[in-house]
Amino acid sequence: MTLLLKDAINPNLVQTLEGGPALVHCGPFGNIAHGCNSVAATQLGLALSDIVLTEAGFGADLGAEKFFDIKCRFAGLKPEAAIIVATVRALKMHGGVKKDRLATATPRRCSGVLKTCAATSAT
């Protein structure tokens, strides 16, 4: 068994559907304690390229907070940007829309965000 797993500690170089390279090492579910890939994979990615994207689990409280507070501090990483993915339904729900009106209601607080999303997706 040791012989079979001797290389399992190393990050794996794989190819995305678009043909780009990706390093996979303890993905978001591989280490459920903090929900992000290993420090080794991130450092290897930084050594091999100009930009490294890390999926930090789901939710700001489950993934992003632990990524910034634990992984980045421990590894000495200083991220320059963060990408937040949110659905229109989630924006409406957290904006105070009642559950039975989520399909139709657009609160004034979300209208600017929704217009921006529509304009961006049209390009």
Side-chain angles (χ1 to χ4, degrees), residues 27-109:
F29 302 106
N31 190 344
I32 201 68
H34 57 81
C36 52
N37 65 342
S38 68
V39 173
T42 301
Q43 289 175 338
L44 181 59
L46 288 168
L48 297 174
S49 66
D50 297 328
I51 298 171
V52 175
L53 298 176
T54 296
E55 180 185 356
F58 28 68
D61 55 344
L62 294 174
E65 186 176 323
K66 291 176 182 176
F67 171 76
F68 289 114
D69 292 344
I70 297 172
K71 181 179 177 179
C72 289
R73 285 184 188 175
F74 177 77
L77 301 171
K78 294 180 176 41
E80 295 180 15
I83 299 169
I84 299 172
V85 178
T87 63
V88 172
R89 182 180 177 90
L91 291 173
K92 289 179 181 181
M93 186 176 282
H94 291 288
V97 174
K98 302 279 188 223
K99 192 171 183 178
D100 60 340
R101 296 190 60 224
L102 287 175
T104 58
T106 302
R108 286 186 296 247
R109 293 181 297 235

Side-chain angles (χ1 to χ4, degrees), residues 88 91 112-122:
V88 172
L91 291 173
V113 173
L114 297 176
K115 286 178 187 173
T116 303
C117 291
T120 305
S121 64

